Amino acid sequence: MSMNKGKKETNKMRIRAFPMTMDQKYVDNIWALLKNAIQEIQKKNNSGLSFEELYRNAYTMVLHKHGEKLYTGLREVVTDHLVNKIREDVVESLNNNFLQTLNSAWNDHQTSMVMIRDILMHMDRVYVQQNTVDNVYNLGLMIFRDQVTRYPNIRDHLQQTLLDMVARERKGEVVDRGAVKNACQMLMVLGIESRTVYEEDFERPFLDQSGEFYRRESQKFLEENSASVYINKVEARINEEAERARHYLDNSTEDPIVKVLEDELISKHMKTIVEMENSGVVHMLKHNKTEDLACMYKLFIRVPQGLKTMCDCISAYLREEGKALVQDEGSKNAITYIQSLLDLKDRFDHFLHQSFSEDRQFKQMVSGDFEFFINLNQKSPEYLSLFVDDKLKKGVKGMSEQEIENVLDKCMVLFRFLQEKDVFERYYKQHLAKRLLLNKSVSDDSEKNMISKLKTECGCQFTSKLEGMFKDMTVSTSTMDEFKGHLQTSGTNLHGVDLFVRVLTTGFWPTQSATPKCNIPTAPRMAFEAFRRFYLAKHSGRQLSLQPQLGSADLNATFFGTKKDDVDASGASSAPKGGPRKHIIQVSTFQMCVLMLFNNRDKWTYEEMKSETDIPEKDLMRAVQSLALGKMTQRILVKEPKTKEIESDHTLVVNDQFTSKLFRVKIQTVAAKGESEPERKETRSKVDEDRKHEIEAAIVRIMKARKKLQHNILIAEVTEQLKVRFLPSPVVIKKRIEGLIEREYLARTPEDRKIYTYVA
Amino acid sequence: MSTSRIFSQYSKLPPIRKPHNNNDTKRLSLECSEGQVTALFDLYKNDEDCIDEEGIVKFCNDLGVKPDDFIVLVLAWKFNAELMGRFTRTEFVSGCKAIQAHSIKWIQSKFPLLLAEVQNRQTFKEFYRWSYKFCLTVEPGQRTLSTEVAIQMWTIVFSQREPPILPRWFRFLERHESIRGIPKDTWDMFLPFTEQVRLDLTNYDESEAWPSLLDDFVEYESDLHNQNVQMQE
């Protein structure tokens, strides 16, 4: 018989069916043949079979519409084999080589089913399609699944065996990974188009067991009582489980099992680990354990709230440290205060970089904490300005230009945290003025550099006045040149006084409350008058007032007394050496007034000095202290009686015994580094005054633009506009609004008292 | 078609007459009462053709009221008086016209009407606000009412219907000498305060646009209350 292999019929040709009919006997015969073949295959005796013949027979059956018989028969044969032979074998092996037996049964089944499917391929294509039943291979799978794998005994035992093996491996034993992998693959395949079989029969109980196991593990780890050990162990276990899933369970189990670990080992014990005494986060921070912190970070980032738990703990510690720094009064000066804050910031920047990979949440926490404690101390703005002042002065030891630049950049970071930036501005102005006037700046460039940094932070308003100060300095220099020219051409005699005047525009420079009084001695006073005439001739309509609290003088001094000689061996003092000693003494204006008194008279009481010079008590005291009570190399005057205090009736004379190695002697003024308390109060009240004006200006500005605005929105906008300088409280803003209503800049709308209008 | 043809069909309509409105008689009665009003004014005026404080005292006496009575303030308001303690001729005359009274008796008879009128919430609000400015005029150039005078004014202005919070408000003001007078805005806002805020002050919101003196008052009251509660516990 020739056979047409199932060619698809073309449109033009029609192949007529064989004229043969099939009788029942013939069909039974074919079936018997096939059945036998299938059984042989199942017995692994397929070598003697002819694929072609079997295929043809199956094809014939289906062709003659006996597909159903074939299908049903197939099901019977397979079921019979699996139930009566295979299952028996597996059950027998329950306690002996179970997994091996099951696995080889499964492998055999797969192999034979492939072959069977090949033979019955035509039925798959035609009968199965037409009747929407399962295809041969899947049918085989289902029967294997239901009759073998999920046969209650076998199913339970399989589960138990697999779980057991995992448990043993966790304990460190070596197990037959291949067998487990095979079994898992079998379960996956048996799910046919889903993973439900794997999931139900293995994965779910596996996850439950794992949960249990790691619950106990976590307790064990915790008992070790070391956070560092704990997290390292956790990391190891997570890696182990992930690898296990990838290697011999199913890949898809990796995520769920890792999640179980994260849950049991991390989430449930986050706080405990973080807060562990002597080993937790605080300990790690104190002892700079960047690696442990990095490990913890990598772990905790996996779980919800993990990072937050860490953040909270770190934040609390940082705030404690910061608070301690800023509230430690008395023992610190401004420089060490700011330096310690910079050091703290450096420490935490280091952690951010090394351990927390610049995580934004952590960065924000650090910034927030710094902002919190730096503003706890009201003197922070003043101290920061003093620190910057120190770095911009001449004679900064041991720092290259680049290093100074870096430090100033770090200072700007601290500056951003300040809430009362306007207080900083006020002090910065004062300190800058001192630097400029006393010629203490290291360079104009570094000053301007710092100012441009401030400008970037705060805008022009902050820095425009500072720039005005620089301008005054330049203009003064050229004014002095003109003055010198004028002196020559007009032949004015300054009587030996070499005058240098700096003219300061009032608005730019920090003002004193009132210019202190002072009687300037004749010679310098006349010289100044000459300048004043010259200046006012050029700029009529201006007013000049001398500021005696600023300025300095170089005085030629002659000391007539004997030097305190080394006593020679005989104990007799030798004759006075040389003639009178000359020095140039550099003093403040006030000190000049005091010293020049001694040109008129040899002896002065403190009281007499006061009335003659008219200098305010506080300034006079400071001036005389630095002249009479300093180091020997600074003692220009001698006081009787030789006490530490200066009373009104004490007398002062020139110290003719004065000596110094230097020709040019600079007298230091006894000055406080920071402000004294009354001065600080005064500064603060000035700041408050300024703030009132700034708030009102902001209110008027906003209302002018918006014409009509609700109370709460107005408060919010004012706060927003001013917050770069300071943080106004709603209460204070409200009072300013009332003031403006009173002065009729604003009014309430008649319909709604909560809405204001701008009164043009 | 021209309009005239249509209208030509109608006979001429009688001329429209305004209703007889007694203008003549009214004018007469007005004149007659104006004369009376002027005469009334003359009874109390001084050399400068004004009713000054002395005159007002007499006027009030005749009316049977005290000069600091509520109704006198209402009268001043109705008369549109510019300065406290003085009625000009114009003010007096046009004021009496406004209330339609030309003699002491007539004025007295109008009292109930005036009192009723000022009960109306909106009217009272205008009257209330006006009284601050009016009171300021006692001292020329003054911008803020002193606390003492403000308390007196409040007493008068609220004499018909006293807000329950008033005595506590006065206690607060009297105990705080640092308060430097009552600005207009605070005076104005006190009225809605009495109307909107509950007696136990629980619905007061200090983040709202109330004047800061009222904030202070509420804070003071709540401190007192807390102290009392603590003592009772």
Side-chain angles (χ1 to χ4, degrees):
Chain A
M1 271 188 290
S2 65
M3 199 173 92
N4 281 332
K5 287 239 161 152
K7 268 209 184 117
K8 279 269 190 288
E9 295 164 351
T10 61
N11 284 339
K12 294 208 178 120
M13 279 182 15
R14 241 193 66 195
I15 297 179
R16 287 189 303 160
F18 280 133
M20 253 173 70
T21 52
M22 258 200 187
D23 58 28
Q24 192 55 41
K25 196 153 174 243
Y26 190 53
V27 173
D28 289 341
N29 277 349
I30 298 183
W31 167 240
L33 194 74
L34 285 171
K35 178 172 172 179
N36 185 48
I38 292 173
Q39 283 168 333
E40 287 303 305
I41 291 173
Q42 287 170 331
K43 280 190 276 198
K44 301 203 247 197
N45 282 345
N46 50 300
S47 48
L49 302 174
S50 156
F51 170 76
E52 246 247 346
E53 189 188 335
L54 295 168
Y55 181 90
R56 197 184 347 125
N57 280 323
Y59 173 86
T60 309
M61 272 190 83
V62 175
L63 192 66
H64 289 272
K65 312 257 189 274
H66 295 289
E68 188 180 334
K69 181 177 170 80
L70 182 57
Y71 193 86
T72 328
L74 169 69
R75 192 195 287 120
E76 268 173 32
V77 173
V78 171
T79 310
D80 176 62
H81 174 78
L82 289 181
V83 168
N84 296 325
K85 176 89 178 66
I86 300 300
R87 188 160 79 193
E88 293 299 320
D89 286 346
V90 173
V91 168
E92 242 184 61
S93 77
L94 233 43
N95 296 318
N96 178 21
N97 251 352
F98 168 71
L99 210 53
Q100 260 61 318
T101 316
L102 180 61
N103 272 333
S104 51
W106 164 246
N107 290 336
D108 291 343
H109 174 81
Q110 283 182 299
T111 318
S112 45
M113 282 314 298
V114 167
M115 285 192 236
I116 297 172
R117 180 200 57 202
D118 284 346
I119 300 174
L120 304 179
M121 211 181 293
H122 188 76
M123 180 179 74
D124 253 353
R125 287 212 203 109
V126 176
Y127 174 78
V128 164
Q129 294 271 19
Q130 285 171 350
N131 295 280
T132 28
V133 289
D134 294 298
N135 68 38
V136 171
Y137 191 77
N138 283 356
L139 179 65
L141 288 180
M142 288 192 298
I143 300 174
F144 191 89
R145 175 191 70 196
D146 297 333
Q147 301 302 336
V148 180
T149 308
R150 279 188 154 180
Y151 184 61
N153 260 1
I154 299 180
R155 178 188 201 176
D156 295 339
H157 196 80
L158 175 62
Q159 192 182 100
Q160 204 43 56
T161 310
L162 293 176
L163 293 182
D164 246 15
M165 287 172 86
V166 171
R168 278 190 288 137
E169 198 187 52
R170 280 185 181 149
K171 284 208 197 89
E173 280 181 46
V174 177
V175 298
D176 185 355
R177 288 182 155 201
V180 178
K181 188 174 178 83
N182 240 2
C184 286
Q185 287 315 309
M186 171 184 72
L187 292 173
M188 279 300 280
V189 172
L190 286 179
I192 308 183
E193 302 278 300
S194 83
R195 63 198 296 282
T196 18
V197 175
Y198 173 75
E199 217 178 282
E200 284 167 16
D201 288 7
F202 172 70
E203 195 184 57
R204 209 170 297 146
F206 165 71
L207 292 175
D208 287 342
Q209 176 185 277
S210 306
E212 263 302 309
F213 175 73
Y214 281 107
R215 215 162 291 144
R216 289 193 301 273
E217 276 288 278
S218 67
Q219 289 306 321
K220 261 179 47 198
F221 289 173
L222 286 175
E223 277 166 23
E224 299 259 1
N225 219 7
S226 157
S228 154
V229 170
Y230 187 95
I231 55 182
N232 283 316
K233 286 201 172 162
V234 169
E235 194 180 28
R237 276 301 195 184
I238 290 185
N239 289 338
E240 180 193 320
E241 291 294 336
E243 191 245 14
R244 172 171 299 122
R246 283 197 299 272
H247 266 206
Y248 64 89
L249 306 178
D250 187 81
N251 269 354
S252 57
T253 305
E254 182 180 348
D255 283 345
I257 183 62
V258 166
K259 180 139 187 336
V260 166
L261 262 83
E262 288 170 359
D263 222 34
E264 292 295 332
L265 292 176
I266 308 178
S267 281
K268 289 197 175 157
H269 303 286
M270 284 194 298
K271 261 194 124 206
T272 320
I273 304 164
V274 161
E275 291 174 5
M276 210 175 257
E277 264 197 57
N278 294 334
S279 65
V281 165
V282 171
H283 173 91
M284 291 179 191
L285 290 171
K286 277 192 186 151
H287 296 270
N288 211 20
K289 301 233 187 271
T290 42
E291 273 176 32
D292 281 346
L293 286 168
C295 179
M296 193 185 275
Y297 176 77
K298 281 200 297 264
L299 283 182
F300 278 49
I301 203 174
R302 291 162 173 264
V303 299
Q305 302 291 36
L307 289 189
K308 184 169 180 308
T309 314
M310 276 183 87
C311 242
D312 289 345
C313 182
I314 299 174
S315 176
Y317 171 72
L318 178 53
R319 285 193 180 204
E320 277 306 308
E321 291 285 295
K323 256 170 90 169
L325 281 181
V326 303
Q327 285 174 343
D328 182 15
E329 288 278 10
S331 64
K332 285 221 193 95
N333 65 30
I335 314 294
T336 47
Y337 177 89
I338 297 292
Q339 190 60 51
S340 58
L341 285 174
L342 290 175
D343 293 339
L344 185 62
K345 184 83 182 35
D346 275 343
R347 242 179 94 201
F348 274 79
D349 282 346
H350 177 75
F351 285 130
L352 276 176
H353 183 72
Q354 296 289 97
S355 309
F356 305 132
S357 39
E358 312 285 349
D359 184 293
R360 218 183 68 157
Q361 198 181 356
F362 282 67
K363 262 194 175 158
Q364 283 177 349
M365 166 206 53
V366 170
S367 295
D369 292 339
F370 266 84
E371 208 181 303
F372 164 72
F373 54 72
I374 204 178
N375 289 302
L376 287 180
N377 187 338
Q378 277 203 335
K379 293 187 190 159
S380 288
E382 185 194 341
Y383 284 175
L384 185 60
S385 177
L386 282 169
F387 184 84
V388 173
D389 175 66
D390 186 62
K391 298 294 173 277
L392 289 173
K393 281 213 279 244
K394 280 185 192 149
V396 174
K397 297 192 187 66
M399 291 182 95
S400 70
E401 245 188 70
Q402 188 55 42
E403 285 170 340
I404 297 190
E405 175 78 13
N406 289 344
V407 163
L408 291 180
D409 277 335
K410 291 187 182 173
C411 286
M412 287 311 292
V413 172
L414 285 187
F415 173 75
R416 256 171 242 133
F417 296 138
L418 289 176
Q419 265 174 9
E420 298 194 297
K421 293 185 173 77
D422 56 346
V423 175
F424 174 87
E425 181 193 341
R426 190 166 275 275
Y427 282 112
Y428 191 79
K429 235 166 115 177
Q430 280 178 20
H431 298 146
L432 174 64
K434 269 211 193 96
R435 287 200 296 281
L436 290 177
L437 293 178
L438 297 176
N439 207 16
K440 283 216 168 102
S441 292
V442 82
S443 83
D444 256 15
D445 275 345
S446 43
E447 293 283 353
K448 297 222 169 122
N449 200 3
M450 185 65 197
I451 291 184
S452 72
K453 287 195 220 286
L454 288 170
K455 200 172 180 171
T456 321
E457 267 309 303
C458 306
C460 294
Q461 187 209 5
F462 199 89
T463 51
S464 57
K465 293 201 185 133
L466 304 178
E467 285 162 357
M469 292 204 269
F470 281 98
K471 191 144 169 280
D472 277 350
M473 299 294 287
T474 334
V475 169
S476 291
T477 315
S478 43
T479 310
M480 282 318 292
D481 287 340
E482 288 170 26
F483 180 62
K484 290 221 162 55
H486 163 85
L487 285 178
Q488 287 198 338
T489 51
S490 67
T492 320
N493 190 356
L494 287 184
H495 299 286
V497 176
D498 183 7
L499 186 69
F500 187 89
V501 180
R502 281 216 198 86
V503 182
L504 315 175
T505 313
T506 319
F508 297 150
W509 297 77
T511 42
Q512 306 293 110
S513 30
T515 312
K517 288 200 289 188
C518 182
N519 281 340
I520 310 281
T522 319
R525 192 179 59 230
M526 303 300 280
F528 177 67
E529 289 303 319
F531 176 82
R532 185 204 289 273
R533 284 193 298 275
F534 159 77
Y535 187 86
L536 292 178
K538 274 182 37 132
H539 305 279
S540 65
R542 291 191 186 175
Q543 270 192 336
L544 285 181
S545 58
L546 191 62
Q547 304 285 303
Q549 77 281 12
L550 305 171
S552 60
D554 289 354
L555 301 176
N556 287 320
T558 314
F559 297 92
F560 295 102
T562 54
K563 234 174 128 159
K564 275 220 169 82
D565 286 323
D566 309 48
V567 178
D568 60 21
S570 63
S573 60
S574 24
K577 279 211 178 130
R581 291 179 308 289
K582 290 205 168 160
H583 288 280
I584 294 187
I585 317 183
Q586 229 177 314
V587 290
S588 73
T589 309
F590 289 135
Q591 288 164 338
M592 170 190 77
C593 299
V594 167
L595 287 180
M596 287 186 74
L597 291 177
F598 291 92
N599 283 346
N600 306 334
R601 214 166 77 198
D602 283 343
K603 238 189 196 161
W604 287 85
T605 67
Y606 184 75
E607 191 62 38
E608 289 170 336
M609 278 184 174
K610 205 155 137 199
S611 58
E612 184 70 23
T613 60
D614 220 6
I615 295 174
E617 166 69 26
K618 188 179 60 149
D619 301 303
L620 182 61
M621 176 62 72
R622 283 232 305 261
V624 175
Q625 275 176 341
S626 32
L627 289 170
L629 298 177
K631 292 191 285 207
M632 282 315 292
T633 46
Q634 299 256 303
R635 214 169 281 189
I636 309 292
L637 299 178
V638 173
K639 182 172 79 77
E640 282 299 329
K642 288 188 179 16
T643 59
K644 280 206 183 126
E645 313 303 326
I646 302 181
E647 309 284 338
S648 317
D649 56 348
H650 290 188
T651 50
L652 292 126
V653 296
V654 173
N655 176 17
D656 270 314
Q657 253 67 26
F658 174 78
T659 56
S660 173
K661 286 198 200 100
L662 307 161
F663 177 60
R664 200 193 188 89
V665 183
K666 181 162 173 20
I667 303 297
Q668 315 284 358
T669 320
V670 176
K673 252 300 189 165
E675 278 189 323
S676 61
E677 266 321 298
E679 284 173 341
R680 209 169 261 128
K681 281 211 177 67
E682 201 190 319
T683 309
R684 174 112 337 229
S685 73
K686 284 209 192 118
V687 168
D688 288 338
E689 263 311 298
D690 276 356
R691 283 182 182 177
K692 277 199 193 140
H693 295 310
E694 287 195 49
I695 295 177
E696 288 192 353
I699 296 174
V700 171
R701 213 169 29 237
I702 294 170
M703 290 303 297
K704 197 166 175 180
R706 308 278 285 263
K707 302 288 184 225
K708 208 175 183 183
L709 204 54
Q710 213 209 32
H711 173 86
N712 286 334
I713 302 181
L714 180 58
I715 302 258
E717 300 242 338
V718 170
T719 313
E720 184 65 29
Q721 270 199 21
L722 291 175
K723 75 167 189 243
V724 283
R725 290 179 62 70
F726 62 95
L727 217 56
S729 75
V731 172
V732 166
I733 300 178
K734 199 198 251 200
K735 282 222 160 67
R736 295 291 105 230
I737 295 177
E738 281 177 27
L740 288 171
I741 294 179
E742 186 66 17
R743 279 138 58 201
E744 294 180 15
Y745 284 86
L746 304 182
R748 297 182 195 259
T749 53
E751 324 83 58
D752 186 352
R753 63 179 161 74
K754 293 194 286 284
I755 302 185
Y756 304 110
T757 53
Y758 178 70
V759 178
Chain B
M1 269 197 284
S2 68
T3 44
S4 49
R5 270 204 33 203
I6 299 174
F7 287 125
S8 64
Q9 296 188 27
Y10 294 92
S11 54
K12 231 172 162 213
L13 291 168
I16 302 171
R17 269 210 179 85
K18 282 194 183 145
H20 196 55
N21 65 353
N22 286 1
N23 247 348
D24 298 345
T25 44
K26 206 169 188 185
R27 213 175 288 126
L28 262 177
S29 67
L30 272 178
E31 274 178 21
C32 153
S33 38
E34 179 148 356
Q36 287 176 291
V37 173
T38 333
L40 193 62
F41 179 76
D42 290 338
L43 282 181
Y44 303 104
K45 74 169 183 199
N46 62 3
D47 300 332
E48 285 143 29
D49 205 38
C50 264
I51 305 185
D52 60 13
E53 285 178 18
E54 222 185 282
I56 289 184
V57 171
K58 262 177 76 184
F59 181 51
C60 290
N61 240 348
D62 292 347
L63 283 172
V65 294
K66 292 205 288 275
D68 57 1
D69 270 354
F70 181 70
I71 191 65
V72 178
L73 193 59
V74 178
L75 268 182
W77 175 60
K78 270 309 216 179
F79 282 14
N80 246 326
E82 194 193 336
L83 294 181
M84 196 183 232
R86 181 195 80 169
F87 289 137
T88 64
R89 180 181 285 274
T90 334
E91 286 167 359
F92 190 86
V93 169
S94 46
C96 285
K97 274 199 219 174
I99 63 173
Q100 294 180 4
H102 54 267
S103 71
I104 292 294
K105 266 232 174 69
W106 271 87
I107 297 177
Q108 277 174 330
S109 74
K110 294 292 176 184
F111 282 176
L113 200 66
L114 292 173
L115 287 176
E117 184 183 334
V118 107
Q119 294 268 31
N120 169 282
R121 197 157 155 190
Q122 187 58 31
T123 325
F124 183 75
K125 182 167 155 193
E126 289 165 21
F127 165 68
Y128 174 82
R129 287 189 174 211
W130 167 90
S131 11
Y132 184 89
K133 287 190 291 219
F134 185 63
C135 189
L136 268 186
T137 61
V138 167
E139 215 145 294
Q142 208 188 11
R143 291 208 63 165
T144 317
L145 218 51
S146 74
T147 318
E148 218 183 287
V149 177
I151 293 181
Q152 289 173 13
M153 277 305 280
W154 268 314
T155 315
I156 299 177
V157 147
F158 283 126
S159 57
Q160 299 301 301
R161 201 168 44 184
E162 182 176 291
I165 198 74
L166 202 62
R168 282 151 68 190
W169 173 241
F170 285 169
R171 174 177 68 180
F172 166 73
L173 292 175
E174 275 162 10
R175 283 189 186 177
H176 288 78
E177 291 176 1
S178 58
I179 298 174
R180 289 184 292 157
I182 308 287
K184 177 158 201 322
D185 185 60
T186 309
W187 171 276
D188 285 350
M189 287 297 115
F190 184 71
L191 182 60
F193 178 81
T194 62
E195 289 168 353
Q196 292 171 23
V197 178
R198 284 202 280 263
L199 192 56
D200 59 4
L201 304 176
T202 48
N203 64 338
Y204 184 80
D205 183 358
E206 71 169 17
S207 69
E208 279 195 0
W210 296 109
S212 54
L213 192 59
L214 291 174
D215 290 343
D216 295 342
F217 169 59
V218 172
E219 196 183 320
Y220 175 75
E221 284 290 305
S222 98
D223 281 349
L224 280 187
H225 174 76
N226 289 342
Q227 282 172 18
N228 283 338
V229 168
Q230 277 176 4
M231 287 199 295
Q232 280 170 25
E233 287 167 5

